[in-house]
Amino acid sequence: MDPRIETHAEILVDDYAEVEAGDQVAVVASQAAEPLAIAVADLVGERGGVVSTSLGSPRIQRAYRLAADEATLDQENEIVRAKYEAADAVVQIRGEANLNETGDVPPEKSAVAKRANRAVQEALLDSRWVLTQWPSTGHAQKAEMSMEAYEDFVWSAINKDWDAVREHQSQMVERLDPADEVRIVSGDTTDVTMSVAGNHVINDAAENNMPGGEVFTAPVPDSVEGEVLFDKPVLIQGREVLDARLVFEDGEVVEHGASENEDLLTSLLETDDGSRRLGELGIGMNRDIDRFTGNMLFDEKMGDTVHMAIGRAYGETVGEGNERNDSTVHEDMIVDMSEDSRIEVDGEIVQRNGTFRFED
């Protein structure tokens, strides 16, 4: 076995899921990611955990959602919820061969299924969960990289000294954690402000998403004002939404558009009440992710980007007494901050053109 796979598995099992003897561990992986799933199961066994594995396929999901009517999809998957409720830890491994497999599923059907399985999502988030990436052919093609180059890229971003990453990122946490207001400006297309007063800042280095490499928090839901152009594509249900544009007033999206697949963006915003508000502000800080690859798990961590998610706020980011934005949606979208851009925290510029003040 490639030693990089073994290192990847060790980070997932020991640093993220923190598997101990007697833990119930669910491993949910794509079929292409079987080698990493095997390495994870091997380590769980060594640690004395009880493992349950499932290898999924987007082709199966596509077939089911196309065949089922909306009344059928509007039913909770009780089997999956029971599995996550029983699990102490959940290791999810992406690695699709075809990223567009579900592209012809009507977005309204996917929205119905998301709403129906809200409790499933909450059960997952209540576990020690981790989401990671297997270097698959589909993602290599999307990144326009050879398979060998993409493998190097993935494992360079993942197999690293996460204690050192945490220490580096703590410099941004120190500036953001006591802050009241954040302003994001990029060119003449993005100028948005939001309050983060009283909310918690998370230093993402071996937390839930692997790779880590970001600092994130939750905006106060009704505080967001201004306009954002997300100038990096976002892949939603197998289709790319390009140049997504959101205009906020009193925290709510009052105007939106996109140059391609605007219907998908509209469908997301109309999912529920919380899907028209922001649930996350994230600042990318992983310098080993040095190119856009069309994979949000990596792209949102790039050191010269910020991302904002419409929909659900993570509970750990919301301070006591503050409102938590609630939704079945959590969709991250990226703003390139490498040129003519700045991040202001309480009026002080903490990043200009992708470079943090403490990196100067």
Side-chain angles (χ1 to χ4, degrees):
M1 179 179 289
D2 189 321
R4 296 176 299 181
I5 300 175
E6 296 175 339
T7 301
H8 192 169
E10 289 170 359
I11 291 172
L12 295 174
V13 172
D14 295 332
D15 297 342
Y16 272 61
E18 299 178 336
V19 175
E20 298 179 348
D23 279 347
Q24 300 282 327
V25 183
V27 179
V28 183
S30 65
Q31 291 178 334
E34 185 181 33
L36 181 55
I38 290 171
V40 168
D42 189 320
L43 283 178
V44 171
E46 287 185 7
R47 305 297 184 264
V50 179
V51 71
S52 170
T53 59
S54 58
L55 298 180
S57 162
R59 295 185 65 184
I60 296 173
Q61 182 188 79
R62 172 185 178 273
Y64 173 69
R65 289 192 176 178
L66 286 176
D69 58 22
E70 290 193 8
T72 300
L73 292 171
D74 194 21
Q75 300 178 79
E76 181 185 74
N77 191 324
E78 297 180 11
I79 296 173
V80 176
R81 176 168 58 84
K83 176 171 71 174
Y84 289 156
E85 287 177 343
D88 296 299
V90 180
V91 179
Q92 304 171 86
I93 309 171
R94 292 178 179 173
E96 295 76 12
N98 179 6
L99 302 185
N100 299 312
E101 191 62 57
T102 59
D104 55 356
V105 176
E108 309 82 48
K109 284 192 168 185
S110 296
V112 168
K114 275 189 175 183
R115 285 194 297 267
N117 287 283
R118 182 182 188 125
V120 176
Q121 187 180 63
E122 293 302 323
L124 168 64
L125 295 176
D126 284 342
S127 70
R128 299 194 304 273
W129 63 273
V130 56
L131 171 64
T132 195
Q133 178 70 45
W134 171 257
S136 68
T137 54
H139 286 281
Q141 289 175 334
K142 180 65 178 176
E144 300 181 354
M145 299 171 72
S146 69
M147 196 65 235
E148 182 178 352
Y150 189 64
E151 288 175 347
D152 291 341
F153 169 80
V154 168
W155 282 316
S156 291
I158 289 174
N159 296 346
K160 56 197 300 181
D161 183 346
W162 288 103
D163 288 335
V165 171
R166 185 177 296 105
E167 182 177 353
H168 172 68
Q169 293 180 173
S170 68
Q171 299 173 91
M172 187 63 211
V173 174
E174 290 171 1
R175 287 158 173 76
L176 192 56
D177 199 44
D180 290 325
E181 184 180 84
V182 179
R183 182 184 182 192
I184 308 295
V185 179
S186 183
D188 58 4
T189 56
T190 293
D191 191 344
V192 62
T193 60
M194 63 196 72
S195 171
V196 295
N199 282 344
H200 305 303
V201 180
I202 306 301
N203 187 344
D204 177 23
E207 297 296 334
N208 295 116
N209 287 335
M210 170 49 62
E214 65 170 302
V215 167
F216 66 95
T217 187
V220 175
D222 62 358
S223 72
V224 187
E225 298 282 348
E227 180 176 345
V228 186
L229 176 68
F230 298 99
D231 46 12
K232 295 296 187 183
V234 56
L235 190 69
I236 301 174
Q237 298 169 23
R239 294 158 62 193
E240 277 191 344
V241 176
L242 302 181
D243 302 316
R245 174 177 166 271
L246 303 179
V247 179
F248 293 89
E249 291 182 6
D250 297 325
E252 186 172 355
V253 176
V254 296
E255 183 182 330
H256 71 277
S259 64
E260 190 170 325
N261 289 322
E262 183 177 327
D263 61 316
L264 277 176
L265 181 61
T266 301
S267 176
L268 279 178
L269 292 169
E270 293 178 348
T271 301
D272 50 41
D273 291 341
S275 60
R276 302 189 75 87
R277 297 179 181 272
L278 285 187
E280 180 188 350
L281 168 67
I283 301 171
M285 299 185 69
N286 190 329
R287 293 298 184 190
D288 286 311
I289 302 174
D290 57 2
R291 60 185 292 170
F292 183 79
T293 63
N295 182 344
M296 189 60 69
L297 190 60
F298 288 75
D299 296 338
E300 68 175 5
K301 315 299 190 333
M302 290 175 62
D304 52 1
T305 64
V306 299
H307 58 276
M308 304 172 207
I310 54 173
R312 185 185 69 255
Y314 294 118
E316 64 266 33
T317 62
V318 180
E320 185 177 355
N322 278 9
E323 179 186 356
R324 176 188 176 186
N325 196 51
D326 198 15
S327 174
T328 57
V329 169
H330 182 94
E331 193 66 53
D332 293 297
M333 294 180 279
I334 295 174
V335 181
D336 184 351
M337 300 292 289
S338 61
E339 296 181 0
D340 194 20
S341 302
R342 67 185 186 273
I343 301 173
E344 297 179 12
V345 175
D346 291 336
E348 177 189 3
I349 296 175
V350 298
Q351 186 203 70
R352 187 185 293 277
N353 299 336
T355 300
F356 296 97
R357 288 191 61 182
F358 50 82
E359 292 179 321
D360 286 344

